[in-house]
Amino acid sequence: MVTKESKQRGRPRSFDRATALEKAILAFWENGYEATSVADLTRAMGIGAPSLYSAFGDKQSLFEEVVREYGVRYGSFTDRALEEEPTARAAVERILREAAVEYTDPAHPHGCLVIHAATNCTSREVEESLRARRNAWITVFESRIRADIATGELPADTDASALARHTGVIIQGMSQQARDGATRQQLEAVADLAMAIWPRPTRPDAPNHT
Amino acid sequence: MVTKESKQRGRPRSFDRATALEKAILAFWENGYEATSVADLTRAMGIGAPSLYSAFGDKQSLFEEVVREYGVRYGSFTDRALEEEPTARAAVERILREAAVEYTDPAHPHGCLVIHAATNCTSREVEESLRARRNAWITVFESRIRADIATGELPADTDASALARHTGVIIQGMSQQARDGATRQQLEAVADLAMAIWPRPTRPDAPNHT
DNA sequence: CGTATTTCCTAGTGGTCACTACAAAAATCA
DNA sequence: TGATTTTTGTAGTGACCACTAGGAAATACG
């Protein structure tokens, strides 16, 4: 759409698109999709309504871009853990620990935008989009766990589906608690407890990560 | 306010207040406080707006009554379990099992009204009221667990605070999952897993409940 | 019957919602 | 400079929001 090469022809934009988007992320994160009005957004982003609409489209497409950028800037710790850690158990443990920190970081609204921003929303489209994202997490966890069962890292009788869903329950419950005022230490204690249900590896040479 | 004794003087009410309230519960439960408009409510309750306002006050006081009645009709299983079960562990296990059933009951909206109905709400008052309710659960769990530590039912080194919060996380995560489409069986499997973190009793004669 | 009382329906109230028409402003290009 | 292009701020749009005034309707009392 807008190419950065050479000078633009018309009047230059008076705001930085990226920082305006960041402000929009914080606004939606704090109050959710529905409860954040376009007037709230223009105030938070420091631009007029016509500028918002010309730069980001309508409210819904701005929100979609917000969710994408949120995933990159604040939600990528899950993907990183799943890629970098050697086992599903280690990955989940790291995810829960980083979630405890991230969800209670005073630098931004508490909890997870994807979990809370569109609960009880009049736009079914927006609600469904975030629901699909949340359910995709569970599927990713499950396939990661199945991979560890295949290698013998986890016992053959491990219920991958239940373990994955339990992980999702813990993450989403932690996010809710963070919004309700739980501290980082309290969430870390919950993460500790939650990890206790993971079965021990069957291979005696398997890494232990305790 | 309205006494049931003897006949009323004026024109009789053309709707049953209790069933209208029940319809309001379902509407708020389905879509939350903010996203349920008064027009939605009058449609669901089958009455005109002036009747709604004269019978229930404004939208917020109707919602407060909805939350109270919801607690009695759909949320009392937690109180019952805490009263009737001999140990905190048994109570929590029963709560999780009944939550799995209740949160996925096709007869009404999924999940818990108190957890979801006012997340990301423009009315701070309503949001705070429900937040206080949720946080009260954790406190009740914790004191119940401390009581069991005192009797020796649970080990002296049990982290009552963390265990109570973990229980809250599980319940709230299960409610979120129920809204996202998890089945009763899936939630029951999560409840099974979650109970595995409970420490064994120290008193050898203590009931076991497995 | 008439009167008092309460509820009902109609038709609004002002306010906020997401969104935009329009023209001045600010840049590049000739 | 003047023409072109894009962004800007102003000032709205109709739609929906929670809520209500006012009078007709339906009951009980005397």
Side-chain angles (χ1 to χ4, degrees), chain A residues 28-33 35 115-122 124 131 134-135 138 159 161-163 165-166 168-174 176-177 179-182 186-187 189-190 193-194 196-197, chain B residues 28-33 35 115-122 124 131 134-135 138 159 161-163 165-166 168-174 176-177 179-182 186-187 189-190 193-194 196-197:
Chain A
F28 277 126
W29 197 348
E30 177 78 36
N31 295 113
Y33 177 74
I115 295 173
H116 296 282
T119 44
N120 303 129
C121 193
T122 53
R124 291 296 166 201
R131 190 197 314 282
R134 292 190 294 265
N135 284 332
I138 317 283
D159 186 342
S161 167
L163 199 52
R165 196 160 291 275
H166 174 271
V169 163
I170 291 288
I171 289 173
Q172 292 170 15
M174 280 171 63
Q176 176 77 52
Q177 293 272 325
R179 290 203 79 106
D180 283 355
Q186 288 171 322
L187 293 190
V190 168
L193 278 178
I197 65 158
Chain B
F28 277 126
W29 197 348
E30 177 78 35
N31 296 113
Y33 177 74
I115 295 174
H116 296 282
T119 43
N120 303 128
C121 192
T122 53
R124 291 297 166 201
R131 190 197 315 283
R134 291 190 294 266
N135 285 331
I138 317 284
D159 187 341
S161 168
L163 199 53
R165 196 160 291 274
H166 174 271
V169 162
I170 291 288
I171 289 173
Q172 291 170 15
M174 281 171 62
Q176 176 76 51
Q177 294 270 324
R179 291 204 78 111
D180 283 355
Q186 289 171 323
L187 294 190
V190 169
L193 278 178
I197 65 160

Side-chain angles (χ1 to χ4, degrees), chain B residues 55-73:
Chain B
F56 298 101
D58 62 1
K59 183 185 176 183
Q60 183 169 330
S61 59
L62 168 59
F63 181 72
E64 283 163 13
E65 191 167 347
V66 158
V67 172
R68 273 199 305 275
E69 184 66 14
Y70 169 86
V72 173
R73 289 178 49 76

Side-chain angles (χ1 to χ4, degrees), chain A residues 18-35:
Chain A
T19 63
L21 182 60
E22 175 68 18
K23 298 291 189 185
I25 291 177
L26 296 177
F28 277 126
W29 197 348
E30 177 78 36
N31 295 113
Y33 177 74
E34 209 78 43

Side-chain angles (χ1 to χ4, degrees), chain B residues 183-199:
Chain B
T183 66
R184 168 177 164 176
Q185 286 75 21
Q186 289 171 323
L187 294 190
E188 282 170 340
V190 169
D192 280 340
L193 278 178
M195 289 313 296
I197 65 160
W198 281 69

